[in-house]
Amino acid sequence: MRLSSLSSDGGSDGGTAQSKNDSSGSGAQKLDRKESYKAQRKNYRMEKKRVEKELLSTFKDETIIVLADWLKVRGSLKSWTKLWCVLKPGLLLLFRSQKAKSSHWIGTIILSSCELIERPSKKDGFCFKLFHPMDQSVWASKGPEGESLGAVVQPLPTSHLIFRAPTNAAGKCWMDALELALRCSSLLTARKTNRNSSFLEDSLDSSDPIVRYENDSDVEKHFKADLEDGGSITDEGEHGAEGANNERSTYASEDDESGDCSDEISVIEDIAVMPPHTNYVCDQQEVFGTTTDQTEEFSDENKSIVWFLMKQVRPGMDLSRVVLPTFILEPRSFLDKLSDYYYHADIISKAAAENEPFMRMKTVVQWYLSGFYKKPKGLKKPYNPILGETFRCYWEHGNGTKTFYLAEQVSHHPPISSFYATNRQDGFTISGTILAKSKFYGNSTSAILDGLVTLSMLARGEDYVMTIPYAHCKGILMGTMTMELGGKVNISCEKTGYNTELEFKLRPFLGGGEFTNAVSGRIKIGKETLAVIDGHWDDKVTIKDKKTGQEEVLWQVTPEIKSGRLKRFTVPVEDQSEWESARLWQHVGQAIVDEDQVAATEEKTKLEVAQRQALVDRKEKSEEWVTKLFEHEGVQFNIDGTATEVPKYTYKNADIRPWDTRNDLQQYENNYIVCTKTRHKTPMIRTQSIVSVLDDGKPPNERVTSMTRRRKTRDLESKKQRSQDSDTSNAGVSNAVEKHSRGSSSSIQDALKPLIDEQRAMSERIGKLNHSIEVCLYQQKERDSHTNLNRDLVLLVILVVMIQAVLNWVLTERANRQS
């Protein structure tokens, strides 16, 4: 075994003295060995204290928790015990209760010595096993507070532990979290060396084994053996001094008293340093249209263009493939148009802070109504986004938080737009996928926005699922063109049971001016109506409590409301990518603003031709379009459980963790990824992506694709973590290992291909079976409700008849007595 020298100068001096005088050299050599032994012992104690300190901080720091939940653990007597399991980087703590007190601690598993494997089971749930590959103990000797004895439970195995999660989704989540924690355990075992010294690179090429010492006695025995043998610690040998490499010491010098503090690896990030982020600027002042602006008459030239278009369409036809003239276009994209709903996102922040479920639903309805009153200058339609077009912005709240908004056009035919808004600091995220359809009815047309929008209250685990009204434009051929909103809308929260029904009413053909922009609805829980809503969505909407009869203003558009709209920040055009909306349509928009319809048509035609050519090129190469920000995950389901024709897309980098005030500092966006700056470098578990693997509604082929993508992501993260934490890694060895891993991975995939194909077929059949079962359960529930109603009516009739019979008998007896 080759040992690094403590001081190259000391070693050379010793060699010179030996060549001059053997007796004096022997005395100097013994002195060097004693000093070397003292220095290494001191550095060993310093390293031990540092590792103990960081391990203790991992135990005690509540922010460094990867996952915590109830799991069943199999004991030595083959019986199951329900324990509270807390997963930290490198550690798995078991407690008797959720309070996680010192008196409830049972044991701690050191994950660095464990292997993880899924275990088949006949019972319900998901089983996995943590075990030591050499059948040694996996338990730590002490607890988080220095406990030596744990709480009394049934005996647990020494070298392994079998866990059972309640569901497959929870089990998969634990498996992924444990894999991450196992990777993070290297932070506690592979420490960076002192910055003032390091191994030489050629030391890694040595074929000598690397010795690791587990405790104090092993190190002391090693040093004692070297001293008793009379060999030199600082040299490789008497005859090997010439060919030996001068290796620098891996230990701090004896004079360096501050090394224990200055070189300690900190788990706390620098709060003042901001990570790389996108540059935003405040948006220009908004332009509001009025009610009178929502009527328009075409000029003679434009009427001829409209008549020309009318000859190409027929009633009931979808207008998504019809090329529209530029004079009816609003100079912004539909992805930008969808962001109009978040200028009052501070109302959602208030809803997330409400304690009562009814008040949360009421405030959500208030925010929902706040997104409609902004009207364009005239009857205008936004651009149809190009496939792959993106848009991003954020709004700054009064309390300093930010609501980020990201959108992408994931399909062109049919036109499908996906968006994601997040403000974890205020406790909410919003996601949705919208299929835009246009229907022509002769003298009128409707723009239908099919799809669902989900508002998630992160800290409460509540999802508010809502639909969107359609826009109706009439008077295209005869009369004055006007635009209204129409249709029935539902806002439902399955967890609390509250539901809101809104109806946007169209103005009748004859009269009915008071019905212009009218909206009405009710807030219900189950079948009971709690409040009634009525008013005009562009003016004033009131809500009346059904029990007390008290009426109050739910929403009213006032100058104060308009001036209180949140400021929006967008990326400057010069900093945008070529696929961002403002840069993509800048020439078209400028021509429309300048009222140059010819130039606007030419620029719009260039974009349309380029898009068609890109489609032809993809077909020739047999390539499919790959989305940038969102991931396809099956189809959407209505509130009643029926499937829709709108696919479901989720944001690839979604973070749905509740905000941690102790660790999280602020959110920022970089390269279309919304990140969170934290105090500690803690790992993040994307539970949405993990659970979505088991989504029955997701097509099997895409499920496999998602799993493969996550596997590749984990591999990349693992490689990156190893490159950051290991200062003594060998580039040549790592490349060989990577090549071997890729070769073995490809061979494993080829071997598993038949099984994957069979799994796809089975998953498809299981999905169809689950859907059939859900439909049957829904129908049975409806029948049961009708049956219960009929039974109640029959009992009521019988009770009335019995009461009537008793009254008749009493009256008859009284009449007989009087006679």
Side-chain angles (χ1 to χ4, degrees):
M1 178 181 69
R2 182 173 61 187
L3 296 177
S4 60
S5 63
L6 183 67
S7 174
S8 59
D9 295 334
S12 60
D13 293 340
T16 306
Q18 184 176 3
S19 62
K20 292 182 178 179
N21 193 333
D22 293 339
S23 59
S24 60
S26 177
Q29 195 175 43
K30 290 182 180 180
L31 182 62
D32 289 343
R33 280 160 40 198
K34 288 183 180 180
E35 293 177 354
S36 174
Y37 175 73
K38 290 181 180 179
Q40 295 185 44
R41 282 296 308 275
K42 179 181 179 181
N43 188 75
Y44 164 72
R45 288 192 297 269
M46 291 162 55
E47 290 291 320
K48 181 181 176 183
K49 289 181 181 180
R50 185 175 65 180
V51 172
E52 288 178 351
K53 184 176 181 180
E54 293 187 5
L55 184 62
L56 187 61
S57 68
T58 304
F59 268 114
K60 294 184 176 182
D61 195 345
E62 299 178 358
T63 63
I64 308 179
I65 294 179
V66 181
L67 195 60
D69 202 355
W70 289 101
L71 290 176
K72 288 187 177 180
V73 182
R74 188 179 182 184
S76 302
L77 303 178
K78 296 185 178 181
S79 59
W80 295 88
T81 303
K82 193 173 183 180
L83 301 178
W84 179 254
C85 301
V86 178
L87 180 60
K88 294 188 174 186
L91 304 171
L92 179 61
L93 286 76
L94 306 181
F95 294 92
R96 193 171 58 184
S97 68
Q98 192 173 353
K99 296 180 180 179
K101 293 182 177 179
S102 176
S103 58
H104 296 174
W105 173 78
I106 296 174
T108 301
I109 299 176
I110 303 176
L111 297 179
S112 60
S113 62
C114 294
E115 297 288 340
L116 176 66
I117 189 173
E118 182 179 347
R119 187 177 185 274
S121 177
K122 296 180 181 179
K123 297 182 179 180
D124 296 334
F126 184 94
C127 283
F128 57 92
K129 182 178 180 180
L130 281 172
F131 65 95
H132 195 289
M134 301 300 293
D135 202 24
Q136 301 297 320
S137 176
V138 297
W139 298 95
S141 59
K142 293 185 179 181
E145 299 293 337
E147 303 92 342
S148 57
L149 295 176
V152 179
V153 293
Q154 66 161 321
L156 298 176
T158 303
S159 60
H160 72 275
L161 218 55
I162 300 174
F163 298 87
R164 179 187 298 278
T167 62
N168 285 339
K172 288 290 185 182
C173 184
W174 271 101
M175 288 282 288
D176 283 7
L178 282 168
E179 288 180 5
L180 179 61
L182 285 171
R183 291 199 304 268
C184 291
S185 64
S186 62
L187 296 175
L188 301 177
T189 56
R191 292 292 168 187
K192 293 183 179 180
T193 58
N194 191 291
R195 72 179 65 173
N196 298 323
S197 58
S198 62
F199 284 111
L200 290 180
E201 294 180 358
D202 59 350
S203 66
L204 292 173
D205 298 332
S206 173
S207 59
D208 296 320
I210 299 175
V211 178
R212 296 183 182 273
Y213 304 105
E214 302 296 337
N215 48 46
D216 300 5
S217 60
D218 293 340
V219 179
E220 292 173 359
K221 289 177 181 177
H222 161 70
F223 287 129
K224 186 181 293 185
D226 285 330
L227 291 172
E228 289 175 354
D229 291 341
S232 174
I233 294 179
T234 59
D235 299 327
E236 289 193 348
E238 294 181 2
H239 305 286
E242 294 181 1
N245 296 322
N246 280 332
E247 295 182 348
R248 298 174 63 191
S249 171
T250 59
Y251 302 99
S253 62
E254 194 167 1
D255 297 331
D256 187 7
E257 298 294 335
S258 61
D260 184 47
C261 299
S262 62
D263 295 332
E264 182 176 337
I265 302 174
S266 176
V267 297
I268 301 179
E269 292 187 348
D270 190 352
I271 299 177
V273 178
M274 190 65 186
H277 59 283
T278 305
N279 178 37
Y280 286 86
V281 295
C282 188
D283 209 351
Q284 59 184 357
Q285 189 175 1
E286 297 181 83
V287 178
F288 288 88
T290 61
T291 305
T292 57
D293 291 331
Q294 303 310 297
T295 62
E296 187 172 349
E297 293 186 3
F298 291 138
S299 62
D300 294 337
E301 180 183 358
N302 293 338
K303 281 183 179 180
S304 62
I305 298 177
V306 172
W307 276 106
F308 176 76
L309 291 174
M310 294 303 102
K311 295 178 182 179
Q312 306 178 36
V313 298
R314 60 184 181 276
M317 180 179 176
D318 188 358
L319 301 180
S320 59
R321 293 182 178 269
V322 178
V323 179
L324 299 177
T326 56
F327 65 84
I328 66 172
L329 294 179
E330 182 183 4
R332 62 172 177 162
S333 175
F334 179 70
L335 301 179
D336 187 356
K337 177 76 172 178
L338 288 175
S339 68
D340 287 348
Y341 293 94
Y342 307 103
Y343 280 92
H344 292 285
D346 51 339
I347 301 179
I348 312 180
S349 304
K350 297 178 183 178
E354 291 286 352
N355 294 323
E356 297 183 7
F358 173 76
M359 293 301 298
R360 288 198 294 274
M361 174 59 78
K362 177 181 173 182
T363 312
V364 168
V365 175
Q366 183 183 12
W367 163 76
Y368 186 85
L369 295 172
S370 69
F372 299 108
Y373 72 88
K374 180 184 177 181
K375 305 169 185 176
K377 197 78 172 177
L379 285 176
K380 302 297 181 181
K381 174 190 175 298
Y383 312 133
N384 288 331
I386 291 176
L387 181 62
E389 180 182 335
T390 58
F391 181 80
R392 55 181 166 175
C393 63
Y394 77 82
W395 291 265
E396 187 171 359
H397 294 228
N399 59 357
T401 64
K402 298 176 181 178
T403 297
F404 288 90
Y405 170 83
L406 309 170
E408 179 186 1
Q409 189 73 6
V410 296
S411 174
H412 187 66
H413 289 302
I416 300 175
S417 306
S418 294
F419 59 89
Y420 178 79
T422 177
N423 188 336
R424 287 185 55 243
Q425 192 165 354
D426 282 352
F428 68 87
T429 62
I430 304 172
S431 60
T433 300
I434 302 299
L435 170 60
K437 299 185 294 185
S438 300
K439 294 293 185 181
F440 177 66
Y441 303 110
N443 193 40
S444 62
T445 182
S446 295
I448 302 171
L449 302 182
D450 195 4
L452 300 175
V453 179
T454 303
L455 166 62
S456 300
M457 304 283 187
L458 302 181
R460 304 183 183 276
E462 298 175 357
D463 291 335
Y464 293 80
V465 183
M466 58 196 73
T467 55
I468 303 176
Y470 64 87
H472 186 74
C473 181
K474 55 186 177 181
I476 298 177
L477 302 179
M478 296 176 293
T480 303
M481 286 186 59
T482 58
M483 194 277 292
E484 301 174 278
L485 295 180
K488 294 184 178 180
V489 171
N490 284 304
I491 305 175
S492 176
C493 180
E494 183 179 4
K495 184 174 181 179
T496 60
Y498 283 85
N499 178 58
T500 298
E501 299 175 355
L502 294 176
E503 181 180 2
F504 291 82
K505 300 178 181 179
L506 298 177
R507 181 177 177 177
F509 183 72
L510 297 176
E514 67 277 6
F515 293 105
T516 302
N517 298 336
V519 61
S520 63
R522 59 189 64 198
I523 300 178
K524 303 166 62 177
I525 180 169
K527 296 184 178 180
E528 180 186 359
T529 300
L530 302 179
V532 178
I533 300 172
D534 189 34
H536 298 81
W537 51 264
D538 62 340
D539 186 14
K540 179 181 177 181
V541 180
T542 60
I543 182 171
K544 183 177 181 180
D545 192 287
K546 194 71 173 177
K547 292 183 178 179
T548 63
Q550 182 180 359
E551 183 174 334
E552 60 178 332
V553 176
L554 177 64
W555 173 251
Q556 186 173 8
V557 181
T558 60
E560 291 77 14
I561 290 293
K562 291 183 179 180
S563 62
R565 289 167 66 90
L566 300 180
K567 293 183 178 180
R568 192 179 76 166
F569 292 78
T570 56
V571 181
V573 177
E574 57 272 13
D575 295 339
Q576 294 184 7
S577 64
E578 60 179 351
W579 287 100
E580 295 198 47
S581 296
R583 183 174 178 180
L584 195 64
W585 297 93
Q586 59 178 335
H587 301 298
V588 181
Q590 187 60 44
I592 293 176
V593 172
D594 297 339
E595 298 183 355
D596 188 351
Q597 304 301 333
V598 176
T601 304
E602 290 177 355
E603 295 295 336
K604 182 172 178 287
T605 304
K606 290 180 183 178
L607 296 175
E608 293 169 349
V609 171
Q611 183 173 217
R612 296 190 191 101
Q613 184 60 41
L615 177 60
V616 173
D617 295 341
R618 287 196 300 271
K619 287 184 177 180
E620 290 178 353
K621 297 177 182 179
S622 299
E623 296 179 352
E624 293 185 359
W625 177 260
V626 179
T627 56
K628 304 171 184 176
L629 311 178
F630 294 84
E631 186 176 24
H632 185 208
E633 293 196 354
V635 298
Q636 294 185 10
F637 289 88
N638 288 321
I639 298 175
D640 57 1
T642 59
T644 66
E645 60 178 330
V646 184
K648 181 181 180 181
Y649 284 84
T650 57
Y651 179 54
K652 294 180 181 179
N653 301 286
D655 187 358
I656 57 173
R657 298 174 301 160
W659 188 260
D660 188 352
T661 55
R662 298 184 179 181
N663 187 37
D664 298 335
L665 297 176
Q666 62 177 332
Q667 282 186 291
Y668 64 94
E669 182 268 328
N670 183 35
N671 196 21
Y672 277 95
I673 300 177
V674 181
C675 310
T676 303
K677 180 174 175 57
T678 58
R679 298 179 185 273
H680 300 266
K681 294 181 180 180
T682 54
M684 185 186 78
I685 299 297
R686 287 177 53 203
T687 54
Q688 182 177 4
S689 298
I690 296 172
V691 175
S692 63
V693 174
L694 301 174
D695 191 1
D696 291 333
K698 183 175 180 179
N701 57 343
E702 292 171 8
R703 188 180 311 157
V704 175
T705 302
S706 299
M707 293 173 66
T708 305
R709 187 182 297 111
R710 293 186 184 95
R711 192 178 299 113
K712 291 180 179 179
T713 303
R714 288 198 296 267
D715 293 341
L716 291 174
E717 291 176 354
S718 178
K719 293 175 184 177
K720 183 177 180 181
Q721 186 68 35
R722 288 197 299 269
S723 65
Q724 290 178 350
D725 293 339
S726 179
D727 289 344
T728 60
S729 61
N730 192 326
V733 176
S734 63
N735 291 334
V737 172
E738 290 177 7
K739 292 180 180 178
H740 177 72
S741 301
R742 286 196 294 268
S744 60
S745 177
S746 61
S747 61
I748 292 174
Q749 290 180 359
D750 294 338
L752 293 178
K753 188 175 181 180
L755 296 177
I756 293 175
D757 295 337
E758 184 178 356
Q759 183 185 7
R760 289 177 182 176
M762 293 180 64
S763 301
E764 186 176 3
R765 290 196 293 268
I766 292 173
K768 293 180 179 179
L769 181 61
N770 288 336
H771 182 67
S772 302
I773 292 174
E774 291 178 358
V775 173
C776 292
L777 291 175
Y778 179 76
Q779 294 176 352
Q780 181 66 30
K781 184 178 179 181
E782 292 293 328
R783 287 196 297 269
D784 292 344
S785 62
H786 293 309
T787 303
N788 294 335
L789 181 62
N790 295 334
R791 184 171 63 249
D792 295 341
L793 291 175
V794 171
L795 292 176
L796 180 61
V797 171
I798 294 174
L799 181 61
V800 171
V801 171
M802 292 179 63
I803 293 175
Q804 185 67 31
V806 171
L807 290 177
N808 291 339
W809 179 78
V810 171
L811 294 176
T812 303
E813 289 295 326
R814 182 177 297 177
N816 292 336
R817 289 177 183 177
Q818 291 179 356
S819 61

